[in-house]
């Protein structure tokens, strides 16, 4: 097998030309044409405009939420902070000691969030978080002092201030009744009180993209965009307040971070022209059907199932694998990590990882089936990179900074071999001549929350002077 480049549109090698032609035709809706790409570009710009408008003529699918973070770390950060990071199946509690703007010491503990907490009553979820904090404080012998805390809550929120975040909807694997429409900080504070014995002041609530941008700015002052490419997907950027029509007169600051919540791009139907039967299938099996359209086109929570759904269709039509295909009906049988590994095979010119995935599923396959899987993983990933890069390029053009560092965190960016190289290419194509670099801001959502707690303290001190 010949190694391919992550920059190339995948090609399909199958011995039977008729079968090859049939597969290529069947899967062609997954390849975005230049015309479709241009249309996505124009629609995203328009949805941003609507999301920032004071009186939009129709509702945007983009929240364009105010994060109330008007400035970034400036090197004066000092002191001890706590941070929480909730968004996936692992909740993290973090202690950070900052000295002259640098992290001097950090302690991180992970707590698994069981599904009954992710899907059960909201109050119980927040009680669980408070228990974890109490456990952390005790285990790490941090009792007896007051901590200011930054809370990364990686869900769409409407913020009323830096420490008030009203949940708009759950996403990913959470759906706890009683939280939508409520302030997550209030719910956390109530749970902390119920827990007792904790002296904590929640000073900031933020999204994980925002934390990533803040962490990116700590690493590189030129950072003006944050992105998560993991289980979910989202982006944020620094906007000039004068361009935010809906806040005119309400803010004295000149710039603020906007959490776009681009995972929901297309929830109003504007992206339906690229939607395929496999996107419908994945959406229909998801926890929150008919929401987070854009995220479901490629994010880590969905990529494995998309891949599986495409293979299932090919199998049912007699174009893939001669046996064992029932497993392809099982939701979750293939993960995004499997897809990443299969993609690595393509770039190495081998099929080892792909075989391991197939063997694990007990599929009956031959060489052609392996090549088909490589092709499917390739075109799905390629589509995902293209989508996320289009949006990133548009933001670079909008900000027009001399150079923009884009801070990114998440498993897809870290481990999927196509994302980083192809993003570099596609973002340059979308924003030609713009200088940028992609920087992994590892643990941006955790460390960024500690940094944001420190920014909150600075803002508070200044306003009370
Ligand atoms: C959430 C975003 C978050 C993203 C990445 C999405 O499902 O709505 O708020 O930033 O996942 O974690």
């Amino acid at each position: 097998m010949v190694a391919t480049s992550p920059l190339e549109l995948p090609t399909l090698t199958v011995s039977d030309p008729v079968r090859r032609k049939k597969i290529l035709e069947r899967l062609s809706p997954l390849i975005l044409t230049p015309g479709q790409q241009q249309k996505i570009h124009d629609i995203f710009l328009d949805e941003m405009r609507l999301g920032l408008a004071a009186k939009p003529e129709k509702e945007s699918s983009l929240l364009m939420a105010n994060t109330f973070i008007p400035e970034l770390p400036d090197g004066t950060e000092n002191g001890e902070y706590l941070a929480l990071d909730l968004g996936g199946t692992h909740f993290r509690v973090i202690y950070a000691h900052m000295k002259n703007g640098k992290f001097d010491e950090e302690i991180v503990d992970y707590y698994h969030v069981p599904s009954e907490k992710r899907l059960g009553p909201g109050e119980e979820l927040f009680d669980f978080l408070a228990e974890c904090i109490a456990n952390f404080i005790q285990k790490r012998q941090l009792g007896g002092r007051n901590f200011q805390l930054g809370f990364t809550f990686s869900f769409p929120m409407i913020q009323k201030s830096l420490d008030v975040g009203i949940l708009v909807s759950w996403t990913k694997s959470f759906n706890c009744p009683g939280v939508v429409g409520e302030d997550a900080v209030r719910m956390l504070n109530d749970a902390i009180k119920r827990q007792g014995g904790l002296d904590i002041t929640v000073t900031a609530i933020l999204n994980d993209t925002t934390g990533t941008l803040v962490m990116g700015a700590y690493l590189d002052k030129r950072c003006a965009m944050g992105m998560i490419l993991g289980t979910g997907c989202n982006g944020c950027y620094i906007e000039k307040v004068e361009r935010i029509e809906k806040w005119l007169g309400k803010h004295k600051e000149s710039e603020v971070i906007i959490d776009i919540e681009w995972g929901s791009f297309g929830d109003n139907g504007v992206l339906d022209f690229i939607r395929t039967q496999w996107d419908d299938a994945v959406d229909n099996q998801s926890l929150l059907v008919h929401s987070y359209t854009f995220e479901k086109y490629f994010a880590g929570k969905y990529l494995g199932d998309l891949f599986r759904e495409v293979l299932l269709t090919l199998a049912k039509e007699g174009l893939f694998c001669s046996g064992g295909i029932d497993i392809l009906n099982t939701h979750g049988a293939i993960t995004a990590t499997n897809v990443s590994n299969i993609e690595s095979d393509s770039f190495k010119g081998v099929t080892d990882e792909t075989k391991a995935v197939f063997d694990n599923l007990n599929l009956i396959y031959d060489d052609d089936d392996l090549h088909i899987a490589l092709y499917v993983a390739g075109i799905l990933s390629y589509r995902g990179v293209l989508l996320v890069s289009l949006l990133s390029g548009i933001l670079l053009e909008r900000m027009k900074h001399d150079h923009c560092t884009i801070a990114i965190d998440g498993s897809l960016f870290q481990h999927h071999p196509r994302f980083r190289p192809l993003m570099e290419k596609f973002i340059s194509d979308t924003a030609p001549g713009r200088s940028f670099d992609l920087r992994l801001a590892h643990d941006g959502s955790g460390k960024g929350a500690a940094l944001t707690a420190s920014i909150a303290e600075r803002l508070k001190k200044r306003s009370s002077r």
Side-chain angles (χ1 to χ4, degrees):
M1 205 193 124
V2 187
T4 60
S5 151
L7 304 181
E8 282 162 21
L9 183 65
T11 49
L12 177 62
T13 35
V14 177
S15 47
D16 173 4
V18 178
R19 184 180 179 194
R20 180 173 183 275
K21 187 161 177 271
K22 277 189 188 160
I23 296 174
L24 289 178
E25 271 172 18
R26 196 67 183 83
L27 303 188
S28 64
L30 289 167
I31 306 213
L32 299 174
T33 63
Q36 286 176 318
Q37 293 172 36
Q38 185 59 46
K39 204 166 157 190
I40 298 166
H41 181 282
D42 298 347
I43 293 174
F44 184 65
L45 275 176
D46 202 46
E47 290 283 292
M48 277 183 63
R49 176 187 67 76
L50 291 168
L52 294 175
K55 287 188 186 133
E57 66 273 18
K58 54 183 181 193
E59 208 182 326
S60 171
S61 59
L62 303 174
L63 197 59
M64 306 299 286
N66 186 355
T67 62
F68 287 85
I69 303 180
E71 43 189 85
L72 296 167
D74 65 359
T76 62
E77 294 73 30
N78 271 303
E80 296 177 300
Y81 299 94
L82 284 187
L84 307 180
D85 182 9
L86 181 74
T89 48
H90 285 94
F91 170 59
R92 289 184 310 158
V93 185
I94 299 138
Y95 160 87
H97 185 200
M98 308 278 321
K99 244 190 195 167
N100 302 325
K102 294 276 165 245
F103 283 94
D104 189 47
E105 191 192 350
E106 292 159 65
I107 306 172
V108 185
D109 276 340
Y110 290 79
Y111 298 87
H112 176 69
V113 191
S115 68
E116 65 269 21
K117 299 285 179 221
R118 283 183 277 120
L119 302 172
E123 235 179 60
E124 289 180 20
L125 171 70
F126 284 91
D127 279 337
F128 171 76
L129 304 187
E131 268 167 44
C132 297
I133 303 173
N135 171 283
F136 180 82
I137 300 264
Q138 194 208 10
K139 184 168 141 203
R140 301 299 184 171
Q141 298 176 340
L142 293 167
R145 53 195 130 155
N146 172 268
F147 280 107
Q148 308 204 7
L149 180 147
F151 179 20
T152 295
F153 184 64
S154 306
F155 302 97
M157 290 181 274
I158 293 185
Q159 289 195 234
K160 305 278 184 198
S161 63
L162 193 40
D163 60 355
V164 174
I166 314 288
L167 179 67
V168 174
S169 65
W170 287 112
T171 61
K172 297 174 285 200
S173 62
F174 283 72
N175 196 13
C176 303
V179 192
V180 170
E182 298 295 327
D183 173 15
V185 174
R186 191 215 22 98
M187 292 194 74
L188 178 64
N189 277 329
D190 289 351
I192 288 175
K193 265 191 219 129
R194 284 195 294 275
Q195 175 69 31
L198 294 172
D199 187 5
I200 285 169
T201 317
V202 183
T203 55
I205 185 161
L206 60 148
N207 184 260
D208 51 358
T209 46
T210 315
T212 301
L213 196 166
V214 173
M215 181 60 194
Y218 165 86
L219 298 168
D220 177 348
K221 293 255 167 294
R222 300 168 305 169
C223 179
M225 241 180 101
M227 202 190 297
I228 299 290
L229 273 171
T231 311
C233 180
N234 188 15
C236 69
Y237 72 109
I238 298 181
E239 183 59 286
K240 290 194 173 54
V241 168
E242 66 195 32
R243 298 175 73 169
I244 311 173
E245 222 190 88
K246 63 183 179 184
W247 302 333
L248 280 190
K250 295 187 196 144
H251 285 264
K252 285 188 226 87
E253 303 84 6
S254 59
E255 292 187 324
V256 71
I257 300 178
I258 297 236
D259 170 14
I260 302 178
E261 279 298 327
W262 72 35
S264 61
F265 179 30
D267 281 6
N268 54 1
V270 292
L271 285 186
D272 282 359
F273 66 97
I274 61 164
R275 202 171 168 89
T276 65
Q277 69 180 92
W278 305 292
D279 298 305
D280 283 336
V282 167
D283 186 22
N284 287 332
Q285 293 157 22
S286 68
L287 183 61
L288 299 143
V289 180
H290 304 320
S291 73
Y292 274 63
T293 308
F294 188 75
E295 182 164 281
K296 287 176 185 166
Y297 283 144
F298 61 92
K301 175 126 192 69
Y302 310 100
L303 189 59
D305 279 315
L306 261 177
F307 175 72
R308 179 188 54 73
E309 282 295 333
V310 175
L311 294 185
L312 177 64
T313 300
L314 295 180
K316 279 185 183 161
E317 294 176 9
L319 296 166
F320 175 71
C321 281
S322 56
I325 60 171
D326 276 356
I327 185 74
L328 295 174
N329 283 297
T330 312
H331 180 245
I334 305 182
T335 63
T337 306
N338 294 145
V339 178
S340 283
N341 292 342
I342 292 172
E343 279 270 80
S344 314
D345 270 358
S346 283
F347 309 139
K348 287 184 200 145
V350 297
T351 49
D352 308 357
E353 296 286 350
T354 314
K355 277 185 187 153
V357 173
F358 280 22
D359 289 341
N360 192 35
L361 295 170
N362 288 322
L363 290 171
I364 300 174
Y365 61 91
D366 61 17
D367 268 359
D368 280 344
D369 297 315
L370 292 169
H371 288 128
I372 292 167
L374 294 176
Y375 178 71
V376 174
I379 57 172
L380 286 172
S381 307
Y382 195 93
R383 182 181 74 153
V385 184
L386 190 51
L387 288 172
V388 83
S389 306
L390 270 170
L391 274 45
S392 313
I394 290 172
L395 293 178
L396 289 186
E397 284 294 2
R398 183 176 179 90
M399 290 187 289
K400 296 199 175 3
H401 289 191
D402 290 343
H403 177 91
C404 176
T405 294
I406 306 177
I408 312 181
D409 200 3
S411 47
L412 269 189
F413 184 68
Q414 277 189 63
H415 305 302
H416 192 302
R418 196 186 287 274
F419 269 75
R420 180 194 272 272
L422 193 56
M423 276 174 83
E424 279 164 359
K425 174 181 178 319
F426 282 150
I427 296 176
S428 297
D429 291 350
T430 311
R434 289 263 153 239
S435 165
F436 73 95
D437 67 297
L438 307 181
R439 176 147 192 179
L440 176 69
H442 190 51
D443 197 13
S445 46
K447 285 176 154 179
L451 286 164
T452 305
S454 171
I455 295 174
E457 191 177 14
R458 190 204 313 157
L459 295 172
K460 200 161 181 193
K461 275 189 192 148
R462 197 185 300 149
S463 73
S464 62
R465 260 187 225 140

